[in-house]
Amino acid sequence: MTRLRICDNTGVDAWEGELWVQPELTDDGVLINPIRECKASRTLNVAFTCTHGTPLGRAVDRAFSYRLNIPGAVYLGGPHIESRYGYFAGSPKGDKSYQYIDYYRDTETITDVAVFRSYPSTAYNSGSTWKSAIAFEQTLIQAKIPFDLIFEEQLKDLSKYKVLALPNTESMPDCQLEWIREYVRNGGGLAATGSASLYNEWRRSRPNFGLGDVLGLTSEDANQTRRAYRTADAVFTWVGAKGLKTVKNEFGKGRAVYIPRVIPSYEGSTIRMDLPENWEELVEAVRWAAHDDLSVDIQAPLTVVMNLYEKPAKNQIILHLVNFNRIQSMISRFV
């Protein structure tokens, strides 16, 4: 069956991301990166191109960008100079890494976690949902846990993943809840935060969390979360009910964890790429839900990011490590 792309009706095979700043490690320790856009592009089967001109930017692009094969023509995706020349035979001018380009083509990610990006959730309550999602994803990025970004279509079949993450994914129809319920019952893991599944696709409140049986939550837990919303509406700082506790629950053959808050490490409503204050709790929850059986375990500083994929045609597994801390990277060369 031919896989349709989100851009098929427009004839678009590639896009340039909205993150125009260069990847960097800021002075206050925030790791700025385009990794989410790369992951979304791969899921949607659309090439991601960029304009990152620094050595760090090019390293991140090569490690994470998705190369889309246009049959009989070219490969699209990756650093801008490569996409501009379309991977024609020969090396683009000034690109000394082109000799390794075959490692980046025709690859499939090896992932353990799927982070669900729900359209109704982000449409109805973009501030709280995005803040939780970005923080959860930043945790997975810097903790070096392989993950995909998925959307409604991919939610129907979660068999390739060990854990599904629902970071404040609040507005979900009943059919999606049933898919997730069966996934966990059959041995999958679930990590949910905030008001995940508390509302239907029209953001109409349910009497209990839609996945309350899976997460081990009660109607009083739901009421407490709704009261937290009403209290914080005026100041736009809600990130979850403060009075609830983390709950771990066995459901069928699977495991589910509920964390009431993804706690931002900064003040205000701006959405940033900071690690949340409770990032270690999020990591522990994912590991527990996965029965401590992740594909890779890397001991490295938080400034190191990782991508793991395979090249089926050549039976290769390729691991990328990119260090955002230039000083640390230079020191390691002489150790």
Side-chain angles (χ1 to χ4, degrees):
M1 180 181 294
T2 301
R3 182 182 178 186
L4 296 178
R5 295 195 299 274
I6 194 172
C7 298
D8 276 351
N9 292 334
T10 65
V12 173
D13 292 306
W15 59 31
E16 289 190 351
E18 295 179 356
L19 183 64
W20 295 104
V21 297
Q22 293 288 332
E24 65 170 326
L25 181 67
T26 66
D27 292 339
D28 54 351
V30 179
L31 194 150
I32 307 297
N33 66 86
I35 292 173
R36 293 169 186 79
E37 292 171 297
C38 295
K39 290 182 177 294
S41 298
R42 183 179 285 269
T43 298
L44 296 171
N45 199 29
V46 177
F48 176 75
T49 66
C50 58
T51 56
H52 300 146
T54 66
L56 174 61
R58 289 194 296 271
V60 173
D61 295 328
R62 290 190 175 91
F64 290 94
S65 286
Y66 173 50
R67 274 75 176 171
L68 176 63
N69 184 5
I70 308 299
V74 297
Y75 284 82
L76 298 177
H80 193 57
I81 189 172
E82 295 175 0
S83 63
R84 181 184 304 158
Y85 288 95
Y87 288 115
F88 285 111
S91 173
K93 185 177 180 180
D95 186 3
K96 297 181 180 180
S97 69
Y98 195 80
Q99 58 184 310
Y100 306 111
I101 203 63
D102 186 59
Y103 286 114
Y104 309 113
R105 297 172 170 174
D106 303 318
T107 61
E108 299 176 6
T109 56
I110 299 175
T111 57
D112 297 314
V113 180
V115 179
F116 179 42
R117 288 290 192 91
S118 161
Y119 175 76
S121 299
T122 54
Y124 284 116
N125 189 21
S126 58
S128 295
T129 300
W130 277 113
K131 183 177 289 188
S132 296
I134 294 296
F136 203 115
E137 293 157 6
Q138 193 72 17
T139 294
L140 297 177
I141 289 170
Q142 294 193 245
K144 291 160 281 292
I145 296 176
F147 74 98
D148 283 344
L149 288 180
I150 66 169
F151 306 94
E152 277 77 4
E153 179 183 350
Q154 292 76 37
L155 198 65
K156 298 176 183 178
D157 182 8
L158 298 168
S159 58
K160 68 175 288 188
Y161 302 107
K162 297 176 181 177
V163 178
L164 171 68
L166 301 178
N168 203 26
T169 312
E170 55 179 37
S171 300
M172 305 173 67
D174 290 342
C175 63
Q176 293 180 358
L177 303 185
E178 190 55 37
W179 297 336
I180 296 170
R181 187 173 287 107
E182 285 302 304
Y183 164 71
V184 179
R185 182 180 286 121
N186 292 327
L190 178 65
T193 76
S195 55
S197 79
L198 187 56
Y199 300 85
N200 68 12
E201 67 269 37
W202 303 107
R203 205 167 187 267
R204 298 294 186 265
S205 181
R206 294 185 168 100
N208 189 6
F209 290 88
L211 293 169
D213 56 332
V214 180
L215 296 167
L217 300 175
T218 68
S219 58
E220 179 52 35
D221 296 328
N223 290 334
Q224 192 168 345
T225 300
R226 279 190 289 268
R227 286 195 295 269
Y229 258 125
R230 288 193 292 269
T231 301
D233 275 344
V235 293
F236 193 63
T237 57
W238 187 91
V239 287
K242 296 181 180 179
L244 299 181
K245 296 181 180 180
T246 295
V247 177
K248 294 181 178 180
N249 190 47
E250 304 273 354
F251 185 81
K253 298 179 182 178
R255 290 178 168 183
V257 186
Y258 173 77
I259 298 175
R261 303 181 68 213
V262 176
I263 307 173
S265 58
Y266 57 91
E267 298 293 334
S269 60
T270 303
I271 298 174
R272 299 176 12 177
M273 294 185 184
D274 300 59
L275 273 173
E277 289 186 9
N278 61 332
W279 70 269
E280 291 175 300
E281 182 183 18
L282 300 179
V283 170
E284 194 278 331
V286 169
R287 291 187 178 278
W288 184 84
H291 294 265
D292 294 308
D293 182 26
L294 298 178
S295 297
V296 62
D297 185 10
I298 296 175
Q299 303 299 317
L302 291 172
T303 54
V304 176
V305 298
M306 175 275 300
N307 196 25
L308 180 67
Y309 55 78
E310 61 182 340
K311 192 175 176 68
K314 294 192 175 181
N315 197 29
Q316 295 175 331
I317 293 179
I318 302 167
L319 174 68
H320 275 288
L321 295 173
V322 180
N323 193 348
F324 275 64
N325 190 331
R326 183 176 182 274
I327 295 177
Q328 190 179 68
S329 178
M330 291 295 291
I331 292 175
S332 65
R333 296 181 184 181
F334 300 98
V335 174

